[in-house]
Amino acid sequence: MDSHSPNGSIIFSTVGRTNYGFDIFSLKSPLSFLNSPITEHRLTDGASVNFNGQFIDEDQTLVFVSERSGAPRIYLRRPSGIELIPTSINSLFLDRPILWNNRLYYISAHQHSKKKFTSSSALYCTTIDGDNEVTRLTPEGSVDYSPSISKSGHMIAVASYGNRCWPTEEFHDLSTDIVVFPESKPDRRTIVCRHGGWPTWSGDSTIYFHRQADDGWWSIFKVDLPDDLSNLVDESNGSIRVTPPGVHCFTPAAAVASSDRSKSSIIAITTRRPGKSYRHIEIFDVESQKFFPVTELINPTTHHYNPFFSPESTFLGYHRYRGESCSGETTIPYLDPIISPENGLKMLRLNGFFPASSPSGEFIAFNPGFTGLEIIKSDGSKKWTLIKDRTSFCNSWSPAERGVIFTSIGPIFESVKTTVQIARVSFSSLNVNDEEIPVEIKVLTGEETGNNAFPSCSPDGKHIVFRSGRSGHKNLYIIDAVNGEMEGGEIRQLTNGAWIDTMPNWSPDGKLIAFSSNRHNPDDINHFSIYIVHPDGSGLRRIHVAGQEGSEEVDKERLNHVCFSMDSEWLLFTGNLSGVTAEPVSLPNQFQPYGDLYVVKLDGSGLRRLTCNGYENGTPAWHPSTMRMETTTGETEQRVQVGEKLKGEFDDVLWMKC
């Protein structure tokens, strides 16, 4: 193994992802469903999550995305079974596949952008017969999403972000453009409409797409194309809104009507209606302006995503949580292996938040949903509860004591004056036959000292560094790990200023403390960078990750949850350095869909991206060893089936006001 490469295991969380349980379903004859009962048929097999499918024929041969291998991969579903479609590339992210004329079209992020704050998502095609040759259809330096192929197969439409960098403020509507080009000449790109996403062809001359209208409602628009795109008059105002205000409509799919095989006024859309808690698939007739409910009639309390028609509109497909009545995986493993881009690193998704390893590496403490404190074995095979029904977050296991964990007790993401306390949680042993373990909880911070959180223990187990708002600003303090600031214990202020210093982590060699701060721009409470300091307060310096000191790029950093590798040579953190990989409106809620995990050396060099998906990944921890994951049958490196019950509990996008 390269001594200069990071190694060990990375344990991290992903917002909502562990509960998705997506499978792809279909309905027969959706255009005449009012005249017959609706019968739903599951097409995928309940392994991992399965989503964003496309039909190839009227036999419901299906190309789709599944994460069953530990990362999004493209699979083919036939009545005889499911098989992987090889793409001859090493990518952590594949999405939106289309199989046409023995060519596979898809979005991939395997060619990393050379610019920070720029997505790597681009459209590729691969021949599936022969040498699997891969062709990039998106120009170098540009970003494309959500491909669609016209009825004849001659034209392709994408939602394109072009070569722009991401804005520094929050964004939900990507403000992509609808771009079309001939399948045979991908360099002949034409912007047919500004501000639009998720295009779908109706025939060869009409494209439906979604965007947020000026009145705030997500709506479906259409643009009619001339035979000669050079005659396009106005790429900004040529679109027509087709769905009315008062209901959110997005991710359209155009049908082919039996009376006209070239174009149809029927589209399937996903909706969120006022007073409704779930997104559903509906049929919308553009000419009559009528909606016809579909999935709400059969699954009223389940979210449904991203509809698609078969080539002749015999079937309508979509994905949703598979439900308890379906066969397949019904357990969320405590730890789920995913594919790592680094040979020396193992990547494990935790069903919980803020993992912390025991001194031996045998156990991991974490917070299940910010409520309580639990421990699992590092192979994911057993769990114990230390605290329940009490809000707690961010844990640090004492490196010097087997049975001592430090945590924050109180509400997360609150003001400096909110009472949050650092607690020392100690227990005698973990009996394999017990589920709940008796603990002693000792509060180390004063009740009137405000918001004290994010503890990290020194390697000798004698001190805790944490963030406190007791001065009126959130700065770092060091406290006695046994007595706290009461009973004669020592406390001293490590940093001091009218800014936010937070999420500290003590290096395993004891020499440094890393933390996130906005001290370089205290008026900006959204952008944080990484700093390191010696425990005595000396040697404070910023780690410039996105660019050189003083550059425009470096002040766009949103870097949090920083922690050291076990050799104290690398920093692991969550960052916004690579944009987003998929349209956020097409997914369940992700607070920061641009949040990925990275490692970097202490001098800011050697930056490496560890995750690449449409989710928010965060609260990572570095485990000292490359852990072996055991299943209940004793086989290694397979999905662990010991865990919590899969319930499909996740949120729709919270920024869509209904």
Side-chain angles (χ1 to χ4, degrees), residues 533 545 587:
V533 66
V545 177
L587 295 164

Coordinates of all heavy atoms in Angstrom, one line a residue, residues 533 545 587:
V533 N -4.9 24.3 15.0 CA -4.2 25.1 16.0 C -3.6 24.1 17.0 O -4.1 23.0 17.2 CB -5.2 26.0 16.7 CG1 -6.3 25.2 17.5 CG2 -4.5 27.0 17.7
V545 N -8.1 24.9 0.9 CA -8.4 23.7 0.1 C -8.9 24.0 -1.3 O -8.4 23.4 -2.2 CB -9.6 22.9 0.9 CG1 -10.0 21.7 0.0 CG2 -9.1 22.4 2.3
L587 N -35.3 14.1 -6.3 CA -34.9 13.2 -5.2 C -35.7 13.6 -4.0 O -36.3 14.6 -3.9 CB -33.5 13.3 -4.9 CG -32.5 12.9 -6.0 CD1 -31.1 13.4 -5.8 CD2 -32.4 11.3 -6.1

